[in-house]
Amino acid sequence: MIQNKKGSKPLEILIVLLIISIMIAVIYKRYNMYRKRMIENLVKMDLNNIKFVIKLYQIKYGKLPDNLLELKKKGFLLDENGNPILAASKFENNKLITKDGRKILYDNGTIFITN
C-alpha cells in the first residue's frame, strides 16, 4: 500500500533554512560592499563640489576662504533652492564629517580626508 506523506521532515526543513541563511549571508556581504563603494563615490563627488565652490568663492571675494564653515555661512554649499549640495557629508560641531565618519579638512586651498 502506498501512503501519501503530508508535511516535511525536520531534516528537510533544516536544509531549507540552511540554504536560505547562506543566501542571506552572501547577499548581505555583497550589499555592504556596494554600499561602501557608493559612499566612497559620493564622498569623491562632495570633494569635487567643495573644490569647485572654493574656486567660486575665490572669484567672488578675491581670496581663499579661511575654513569650510565660512563657505557654509555664506551659502556656497547650498543650491539655488537652499538644499545642501553635499551628498555624503554634513557639518557636525562645525566640522565636515562624511557618512562613514571621516573628517574633511581644509588648509589654505587644499582639501583632504582623515581616517
Side-chain angles (χ1 to χ4, degrees):
M1 175 182 259
I2 299 175
Q3 294 180 351
N4 284 339
K5 291 185 178 182
K6 293 190 178 187
S8 301
K9 292 181 182 178
L11 183 60
E12 292 170 339
I13 294 172
L14 184 63
I15 291 172
V16 168
L17 289 175
L18 181 65
I19 291 170
I20 290 172
S21 64
I22 290 171
M23 289 173 58
I24 289 172
V26 169
I27 291 169
Y28 185 73
K29 183 177 179 182
R30 180 80 70 178
Y31 167 78
N32 277 336
M33 180 184 70
Y34 285 125
R35 184 177 180 277
K36 286 179 185 178
R37 196 178 298 168
M38 178 202 63
I39 289 174
E40 189 62 37
N41 286 332
L42 288 173
V43 169
K44 287 178 186 177
M45 186 176 70
D46 281 355
L47 290 176
N48 287 332
N49 285 340
I50 292 170
K51 289 175 186 176
F52 180 73
V53 164
I54 288 171
K55 289 179 183 177
L56 289 176
Y57 183 96
Q58 190 175 21
I59 290 169
K60 184 171 184 175
Y61 293 105
K63 65 175 188 125
L64 291 171
D66 295 330
N67 53 46
L68 295 175
L69 192 58
E70 188 174 339
L71 294 173
K72 179 186 176 194
K73 288 179 180 178
K74 295 196 177 181
F76 279 88
L77 297 177
L78 302 174
D79 66 12
E80 62 274 358
N81 298 322
N83 301 316
I85 62 169
L86 303 178
S89 310
K90 63 181 179 179
F91 279 93
E92 292 179 5
N93 299 324
N94 295 332
K95 294 184 179 3
L96 195 56
I97 308 292
T98 63
K99 281 188 176 185
D100 55 1
R102 297 180 291 166
K103 292 179 186 175
I104 297 177
L105 301 175
Y106 170 79
D107 183 31
N108 198 23
T110 305
I111 298 175
F112 49 95
I113 299 179
T114 63
N115 288 331

